[in-house]
Amino acid sequence: MAEVRLKNVTKRFGGAVVAVSELNLDIADGEFLVLLGPSGCGKTTTLRMVAGLERATTGEIFIGERSVNDLEPGDRDIAFVFQFYALYPHLTVWDNISFPLRAQNLSSSEVAQRVQQVAKQLRIEHILKRRPNHLPSGEQQRVALGRAMVRQPQVFLMDEPLTNLDASLRADMRVELKHLQQELGTTMLYVTHDQIEAMSMSHRIAVMHLGVLQQVDTPLDIYNNPRTLFVAKFIGSPPMNTLDCHAEGNRLRGLTGDFEVTLSAEYAHWLRNTPEVVFGIRAEDIRLLDAGAADVDTQGVVTVREPLGDETVYRVDVGEHHLMVKTSPRQVFRAGENVGLAFNHERIHLFDRATGQVV
Amino acid sequence: MADSQVAGRSITELKDPLRPRFSWFTDRWIAISFLTPTMALLVFITVFPLVWSLYLSFTDWSVIRDANTAPTWIGTQNYADLLMNRRTWERFVVTGQFVVPSVTIELVLGFGIAMLLNRKFNGRGVIMTMLLIPMMLSPIVVALFWRFMMQGEGVLNYYVVNLFGSDPVLWLTDRWVAPWSLVLVDVWMWTPFMMLISLAGLSAVPKYLYEAAAVDRASGWFRFRHITLPMVAPLLLIAVIFRTMDAYKLFDQALVLTGGGPGRFTQTASLYLYDLAFGQFRTGEASALGYIMLIVIIALANLFIRALNSIKATE
Amino acid sequence: MTAQRQTLIQKIGFWFTLGLVIFFFMFPLYWIFVSSIKTRAEVISRVPTYIPFVQFQPTLDNYSAILVGGARESETGVRTSADLSEFRNRLVNSVIIAGASTALAVSLGTLTAYAISRFRIPAESDLMFFILSTRMLPPVVVLIPIFLLFSNLQLRDSYFGIVMLYTTVNLPFVVWMMKGFFDEIPVEYEEAAMIDGYSRLEAIWKIVIPEAIPAMAATAVFSAIVAWNEFVFVNLLNRTNANTVPPYLNSIIGVGAVEWGRLAAGSVVFVIPIVIFTFLVRNYLLRGVTFGAVRR
């Protein structure tokens, strides 16, 4: 059980490529924190630096009270679950799981007891004598987990462990992992590019992009209050609708001239300083009304309708822009129909077009 | 049928996506024409002479003496003579004394060097290419120059005498040293081959296995025994098979270096065969010896391949 | 011991060992090179010398004798000027013979490998083992019958005969390597092309062969090395015509006092084309080695 702290951590490869830039991140003891971002954003590099598989170019990393920059991975009291499981191919599952304990001078009965306990927790007792190569990926992954758990480390580090599983297995494992972490109470640092995993499992999410930390917040906060344009567009399915606009007073005009929305008066104050903005609104915060209805913010034409069963997603063209709208399945609009769009003004997001930061 | 053609094919064919585009007939033709030249060459230049050689092995023909007469059949007498003769077995022992140390040293040394090279450092590409040069030289050239260096007053002895103060070593003429000189030259020439194969195998081991071992605080020995070795072993075994086959066949180097001497202490089976065939012109008997050699190597190769298959089966 | 000091020791150990290895393999090569620029007297002198200009005066006589020929007959035991350009003839022959047989082996072998990989050939694994087994033959075994065969067919002392022989020698290796390679290329590429209207031959030419070029380059290197350096057969079969450099190098040593300098110069010149060829293709070599050998 320990907290993990990264202070001003930078990682440069070969002098030119900056993988991680000035990262400051504190992970509380017992927290499940997900490092989320597209490939190449630096999340895996960060994880590997905490593990000791990469050395930070500058900055300090603390696990618990110790600064671990100069410690070998084996000395940091961490466990690492690899994307491709990294199970020793010619040892049995039992040997794979018991192996990390060999360095710890435990009696063989204690080792056996721990392995059995872990095997029971992960329901892999029946395969203890088998070799990893012949196992299906779900079970291989559990063995990898077992090997990590048996050490009873201070921190668990996981590198996209669910990516190689098929969808239904992934869904089950998400629940199991979350459960497991709650039971064990160990600090967990988890890397993924899948936002569903991030949203469902974590206490907090740290979104990274091009080596820079974008935002660290609870899942709901990330969703409802994205602080950068990148975060706003990365989280949410379908992605947030964004339109480049120019502001006049408290009116926003789309740059191609065919989109206009009037915001409430308070906005005028901020918009005077940053008139070039990006207007963002999520698909579920738009209501579709009949074309002639009152109280609409703008008009558009339905082009695509995707009935998903529990909700329907429409693609609505407003001039040159395409907006995705989520409605309840009871509302039905046909392709080609003119509709009015009403925005939930409490859920509008504005971003400075130059910096991407929220206004 | 329809008149319109598209790209030379009738339109009815194009309409049916399920009908295979390649007809069984033309494929058969292609397969035959691709296989025939190769098989013809192989059969003609290897099988045919082999059969002829087999026939000769049952005769007492001599290519010099009987050039214009038909061979006389003597049944299995050649084989009996050879197999009963202690000298024949001595030749095979000498061959074994050469092959086993050579291949073993080449394996260990080549693998060791590969492990050394299996990391990024400046000049790796150049160094690797340089280390491959011994393999690229003509065996004759290699043998000739080692002979030059191993002369009584050659370079090697210069240092042996002046640096170590001992008597000059009779590299090629001492009955105990000469076999090891042969081994030395072969090791010099073919270790790079083992190095190349080992390096190929080592670079195929996934890096994350080593990383997991680092996290688990595995010792270097564990890493070697349970990660490196199992993954590289099949490839190494294939390399050993090839190298054993080649060392067994070795001929030109030995001929130039020692010619079988001193006396017959380095006369491998290959050299003996050469002597029988082109020194004594006992063609029939030479053919018989050749077949004996062939049977030995096929049996050996079989053993190796079975070992290889059993390794692959446990994966 | 601090971490830094330990890595320094490791580094020193690494470079020291590597240095030893390089020394062991490079010393004879350097010796050959340096011998090629020494005079006759210098070459056989008791005290070995290594550094040109500092320890001895280098000379290009050996190279000019080998390559240019000319009226150099003042030294005893030396071949006549006519023979001195023999090396050039042999070199040309080597290029022709090795080049032709390599090209032939690689093209025929690749096609055969393709056929075995793609089509259902009866007794495929037996066929492959048979092809491999031809490599197991000690050349001395085949020497006598080949000699007789070629004699009877008037193939001795001919380019055609030796090229056919070398091609046959290299075919098994090419077939094994290329088959392993083709096994790794998904059939879907050709099928897609054929669905698009290409005939199979066109698909092979346009799609498969370009993919195969790196592997073909690697096999070409190994085949070229074999053909280039081959000694036993060409020495026996092509005594009077169409012979290559290796027998010539061997014959230098048989004539009275050995011309080590000339031998060295000849060897250096002879190895350069192969070194260049290999250096150009070095990236494909590692890949070419594993294809066909590691098949899971």
Side-chain angles (χ1 to χ4, degrees):
Chain A
M1 290 350 136
E3 62 216 26
V4 178
R5 276 180 299 137
L6 293 103
K7 265 175 65 171
N8 287 332
V9 171
T10 302
K11 177 68 182 171
R12 217 171 279 130
F13 284 110
V17 178
V18 181
V20 177
S21 172
E22 297 289 320
L23 180 63
N24 282 291
L25 187 58
D26 287 346
I27 305 159
D29 183 12
E31 183 177 10
F32 191 141
L33 186 124
V34 170
L35 284 172
L36 177 66
S39 50
C41 69
K43 55 190 193 299
T44 304
T45 311
T46 306
L47 191 75
R48 287 166 65 92
M49 284 196 282
V50 176
L53 298 171
E54 307 271 2
R55 269 189 86 98
T57 315
T58 55
E60 267 196 281
I61 302 177
F62 296 88
I63 298 182
E65 292 305 316
R66 300 188 296 169
S67 164
V68 298
N69 284 51
D70 292 322
L71 288 183
E72 296 289 312
D75 296 328
R76 298 191 185 197
D77 201 11
I78 49 134
F80 199 104
V81 179
F82 291 82
Q83 191 179 352
F84 297 103
Y85 320 133
L87 300 175
Y88 305 121
H90 291 79
L91 299 180
T92 61
V93 166
W94 206 99
D95 287 328
N96 260 284
I97 298 183
S98 66
F99 180 71
L101 297 177
R102 286 197 211 172
Q104 286 182 25
N105 286 336
L106 296 172
S107 69
S108 53
S109 56
E110 250 210 88
V111 169
Q113 188 204 35
R114 281 217 216 172
V115 174
Q116 281 287 52
Q117 185 190 21
V118 161
K120 207 172 203 203
Q121 258 180 313
L122 295 172
R123 303 191 312 276
I124 47 174
E125 289 154 299
H126 57 291
I127 50 170
L128 284 174
K129 290 268 175 279
R130 316 249 321 256
R131 293 260 182 100
N133 303 7
H134 304 303
L135 297 173
S137 46
E139 289 179 348
Q140 283 194 24
Q141 212 252 17
R142 269 192 246 258
V143 175
L145 259 181
R147 187 173 66 178
M149 280 164 59
V150 84
R151 302 190 50 166
Q152 295 172 358
Q154 290 192 312
V155 185
F156 277 118
L157 302 171
M158 305 209 179
D159 185 8
E160 307 207 42
L162 305 186
T163 316
N164 293 329
L165 301 176
D166 50 352
S168 61
L169 212 52
R170 225 184 294 173
D172 291 336
M173 284 308 295
R174 281 204 302 266
V175 174
E176 261 201 67
L177 272 179
K178 181 161 181 170
H179 226 79
L180 203 58
Q181 196 270 343
Q182 278 170 353
E183 255 188 65
L184 295 174
T186 316
T187 314
M188 190 166 317
L189 189 53
Y190 186 105
V191 160
T192 181
H193 61 272
D194 181 335
Q195 43 165 318
I196 302 182
E197 280 173 32
M199 297 284 285
S200 60
M201 296 197 293
S202 62
H203 291 137
R204 282 195 305 161
I205 303 179
V207 183
M208 288 181 73
H209 180 50
L210 296 178
V212 179
L213 180 63
Q214 304 282 310
Q215 186 174 354
V216 188
D217 257 325
T218 65
L220 279 184
D221 279 339
I222 294 253
Y223 188 80
N224 291 325
N225 302 317
R227 270 198 260 127
T228 75
L229 186 56
F230 176 79
V231 174
K233 293 187 78 145
F234 193 77
I235 308 268
S237 173
M240 185 188 283
N241 296 299
T242 58
L243 299 106
D244 292 343
C245 297
H246 176 82
E248 290 159 3
N250 62 341
R251 287 174 69 86
L252 290 180
R253 181 161 282 145
L255 287 186
T256 50
D258 46 5
F259 170 78
E260 265 193 37
V261 71
T262 308
L263 307 171
S264 59
E266 308 107 57
Y267 284 94
H269 169 72
W270 289 315
L271 289 173
R272 220 183 311 135
N273 295 328
T274 48
E276 307 301 322
V277 291
V278 179
F279 171 82
I281 187 142
R282 293 211 183 268
E284 64 266 22
D285 295 325
I286 308 178
R287 272 187 312 139
L288 289 183
L289 305 165
D290 292 322
D295 258 6
V296 295
D297 290 292
T298 188
Q299 308 276 341
V301 180
V302 172
T303 52
V304 180
R305 180 172 149 253
E306 294 175 11
L308 299 177
D310 54 343
E311 59 196 9
T312 309
V313 176
Y314 291 95
R315 198 174 91 152
V316 181
D317 282 4
V318 178
E320 306 258 326
H321 305 283
H322 312 291
L323 296 178
M324 308 295 287
V325 183
K326 255 198 234 184
T327 70
S328 90
R330 274 172 279 131
Q331 276 196 298
V332 178
F333 293 93
R334 277 184 300 268
E337 247 184 87
N338 286 328
V339 289
L341 294 93
F343 302 132
N344 181 343
H345 285 253
E346 316 235 321
R347 313 266 299 168
I348 286 181
H349 305 269
L350 291 175
F351 301 93
D352 182 333
R353 193 136 37 93
T355 65
Q357 301 292 324
V358 75
V359 167
Chain B
M1 291 267 108
D3 298 324
S4 43
Q5 301 267 347
V6 178
R9 297 176 184 276
S10 74
I11 199 135
T12 47
E13 274 189 52
L14 283 174
K15 269 204 194 140
D16 182 359
L18 294 177
R19 168 119 164 254
R21 187 122 318 262
F22 30 99
S23 79
W24 176 85
F25 181 72
T26 39
D27 271 357
R28 194 147 169 263
W29 214 91
I30 289 180
I32 292 179
S33 60
F34 278 9
L35 284 172
T36 314
T38 303
M39 298 312 294
L41 268 178
L42 283 178
V43 170
F44 188 64
I45 293 191
T46 22
V47 175
F48 185 40
L50 266 184
V51 172
W52 193 334
S53 188
L54 183 63
Y55 167 64
L56 276 182
S57 71
F58 293 116
T59 73
D60 72 346
W61 202 65
S62 164
V63 74
I64 291 278
R65 185 191 69 200
D66 306 324
N68 294 318
T69 48
T72 334
W73 187 269
I74 54 170
T76 53
Q77 194 183 339
N78 282 330
Y79 288 96
D81 285 343
L82 282 170
L83 290 172
M84 301 295 207
N85 192 340
R86 205 188 71 168
R87 215 167 64 167
T88 314
W89 295 106
E90 279 173 13
R91 302 301 120 232
F92 276 101
V93 167
V94 170
T95 308
Q97 281 175 341
F98 168 70
V99 171
V100 173
S102 295
V103 177
T104 313
I105 297 178
E106 283 159 21
L107 178 64
V108 172
L109 205 55
F111 188 74
I113 300 177
M115 288 195 55
L116 207 60
L117 291 182
N118 190 30
R119 66 190 74 182
K120 274 183 263 201
F121 61 90
N122 286 333
R124 178 176 173 222
V126 174
I127 290 185
M128 206 177 81
T129 312
M130 270 179 11
L131 287 179
L132 289 180
I133 295 183
M135 201 168 81
M136 297 189 243
L137 291 172
S138 169
I140 303 300
V141 169
V142 172
L144 285 172
F145 268 96
W146 274 97
R147 195 165 125 183
F148 181 36
M149 290 195 295
M150 284 176 165
Q151 280 176 334
E153 301 138 9
V155 182
L156 292 187
N157 275 339
Y158 179 78
Y159 290 106
V160 164
V161 170
N162 291 351
L163 277 186
F164 301 120
S166 50
D167 295 323
V169 179
L170 299 174
W171 299 96
L172 299 173
T173 46
D174 180 300
R175 63 171 282 196
W176 297 112
V177 181
W180 288 102
S181 300
L182 270 187
V183 171
L184 176 64
V185 176
D186 197 72
V187 163
W188 183 83
M189 194 165 167
W190 290 106
T191 302
F193 172 74
M194 291 306 246
M195 177 201 82
L196 184 64
I197 305 242
S198 304
L199 200 53
L202 281 176
S203 48
V205 179
K207 204 163 152 242
Y208 52 76
L209 281 181
Y210 291 118
E211 288 177 348
V215 172
D216 287 341
R217 280 207 278 195
S219 65
W221 172 245
F222 176 87
R223 271 188 272 231
F224 181 73
R225 206 179 147 249
H226 287 115
I227 300 179
T228 313
L229 213 49
M231 303 222 81
V232 184
L235 200 53
L236 283 185
L237 197 53
I238 291 182
V240 167
I241 292 178
F242 270 95
R243 200 66 272 291
T244 305
M245 289 187 331
D246 283 349
Y248 181 78
K249 295 190 300 188
L250 187 87
F251 165 69
D252 20 20
Q253 274 160 249
L255 189 65
V256 170
L257 266 178
T258 61
R264 290 220 177 74
F265 286 110
T266 60
Q267 191 185 47
T268 61
S270 283
L271 286 178
Y272 182 40
L273 180 55
Y274 187 72
D275 180 49
L276 272 182
F278 295 103
Q280 304 177 42
F281 293 105
R282 283 147 73 173
T283 319
E285 203 174 333
S287 306
L289 179 59
Y291 262 90
I292 295 176
M293 282 182 70
L294 190 60
I295 293 174
V296 169
I297 191 62
I298 288 185
L300 252 180
N302 247 324
L303 277 176
F304 271 125
I305 292 192
R306 236 181 268 171
L308 182 67
N309 287 335
S310 73
I311 285 190
K312 282 201 173 170
T314 58
E315 286 178 357
Chain C
M1 157 145 47
T2 70
Q4 276 124 324
R5 189 132 163 256
Q6 193 178 35
T7 23
L8 186 63
I9 292 187
Q10 278 177 339
K11 262 195 153 184
I12 294 180
F14 169 72
W15 284 105
F16 179 68
T17 318
L18 193 59
L20 276 181
V21 168
I22 294 180
F23 177 73
F24 175 64
F25 287 103
M26 292 294 112
F27 175 73
L29 294 178
Y30 185 70
W31 183 252
I32 296 178
F33 169 69
V34 127
S35 300
S36 73
I37 50 177
K38 286 184 179 174
T39 62
R40 259 181 110 226
E42 187 60 43
V43 155
I44 57 176
S45 83
R46 279 230 177 169
V47 180
T49 51
Y50 301 105
I51 309 179
F53 296 116
V54 173
Q55 291 179 314
F56 67 92
Q57 272 303 110
T59 167
L60 288 178
D61 283 353
N62 294 318
Y63 284 99
S64 71
I66 288 276
L67 293 172
V68 171
R72 287 194 168 277
E73 26 87 9
S74 47
E75 297 129 76
T76 51
V78 157
R79 298 166 152 249
T80 65
S81 51
D83 292 329
L84 288 172
S85 60
E86 175 79 1
F87 181 80
R88 260 188 310 174
N89 288 344
R90 304 287 192 112
L91 193 57
V92 170
N93 283 346
S94 275
V95 173
I96 296 175
I97 291 173
S101 61
T102 302
L104 210 52
V106 173
S107 15
L108 284 183
T110 302
L111 293 179
T112 304
Y114 178 82
I116 300 184
S117 168
R118 289 291 186 253
F119 303 126
R120 266 191 325 233
I121 310 284
E124 180 182 308
S125 56
D126 290 334
L127 185 66
M128 288 299 284
F129 187 78
F130 165 71
I131 294 179
L132 178 67
S133 67
T134 59
R135 199 194 149 90
M136 295 186 203
L137 307 171
V140 198
V141 176
V142 207
L143 207 53
I144 314 151
I146 292 277
F147 180 72
L148 295 172
L149 182 68
F150 274 43
S151 301
N152 283 343
L153 291 179
Q154 315 281 20
L155 281 178
R156 285 169 60 188
D157 294 322
S158 72
Y159 287 95
F160 179 74
I162 199 75
V163 168
M164 285 298 118
L165 185 65
Y166 285 170
T167 306
T168 312
V169 165
N170 280 321
L171 272 174
F173 181 76
V174 176
V175 171
W176 264 76
M177 287 290 151
M178 294 309 292
K179 170 165 184 303
F181 178 77
F182 285 132
D183 283 346
E184 306 267 329
I185 297 187
V187 193
E188 279 78 27
Y189 286 129
E190 296 139 70
E191 289 182 342
M194 289 191 273
I195 290 179
D196 284 343
Y198 289 110
S199 72
R200 185 176 271 279
L201 284 174
E202 282 172 319
I204 296 176
W205 180 247
K206 284 190 197 299
I207 297 183
V208 179
I209 299 283
E211 279 282 311
I213 288 194
M216 286 167 76
T219 34
V221 169
F222 285 110
S223 304
I225 291 179
V226 168
W228 189 253
N229 289 329
E230 206 279 325
F231 167 70
V232 179
F233 281 97
V234 73
N235 189 41
L236 186 65
L237 295 171
N238 287 9
R239 277 273 155 86
T240 56
N241 185 36
N243 37 20
T244 58
V245 173
Y248 175 76
L249 292 180
N250 189 41
S251 67
I252 290 189
I253 203 162
V255 184
V258 177
E259 291 291 338
W260 291 109
R262 299 232 169 107
L263 182 62
S267 307
V268 169
V269 172
F270 193 54
V271 85
I272 285 179
I274 288 286
V275 174
I276 294 180
F277 193 16
T278 306
F279 185 72
L280 290 177
V281 194
R282 69 193 180 284
N283 290 323
Y284 299 131
L285 272 182
L286 274 185
R287 257 188 279 158
V289 160
T290 45
F291 282 129
V294 179
R295 279 186 293 133
R296 303 269 159 130

